[in-house]
Amino acid sequence: MNRMLLSLLTGLLISLPGISQILITGKVLGAKDKLPIAFTNIGILNTEVGTISEADGSFSIKIPTRYTKSRLLLASLGYKRVNLLIDSLKNSGDLIVYLEEIATELKPVTVRGK
């Protein structure tokens, strides 16, 4: 009897983290050309929660419910960052996020030979 109760409680505790998470799936595309952006950093700033987009721009991230009032940050080199309120993404289905390109102006460099 005690083993059965212990087994039941263990099973319940193992399944709780799955219940207390929000799954967000989607795709990251360029705003101008609508092409996928691979390896975009996706996560909650200053937490252990994060992932990167696949080569086709797709991603999937599990957000613990304690972070529902936080913002999901999407950042990729050469693009403007996007912050999305996680609470508003809970029932959104597959998310499509468009990132706008940013130009970085570099200072001129002069190369001289000896």
Side-chain angles (χ1 to χ4, degrees), residues 10-26:
T10 303
L12 181 61
L13 289 175
I14 290 172
S15 66
L16 281 178
I19 294 171
S20 63
Q21 292 181 346
I22 301 164
L23 178 64
I24 298 173
T25 59

Side-chain angles (χ1 to χ4, degrees), residues 10-48:
T10 303
L12 181 61
L13 289 175
I14 290 172
S15 66
L16 281 178
I19 294 171
S20 63
Q21 292 181 346
I22 301 164
L23 178 64
I24 298 173
T25 59
K27 204 166 208 176
V28 184
L29 304 174
K32 189 175 182 179
D33 57 15
K34 309 295 187 263
L35 293 175
I37 302 175
F39 313 116
T40 298
N41 292 299
I42 303 161
I44 302 172
L45 203 57
N46 299 321
T47 71
E48 73 287 355

Side-chain angles (χ1 to χ4, degrees), residues 22 24 44 63-72 84-92:
I22 301 164
I24 298 173
I44 302 172
I63 309 287
T65 54
R66 69 179 177 269
Y67 295 122
T68 56
K69 301 298 180 197
S70 300
R71 293 190 164 273
L72 190 65
L84 304 170
L85 186 60
I86 292 169
D87 212 17
S88 67
L89 304 175
K90 280 197 254 185
N91 300 316
S92 64

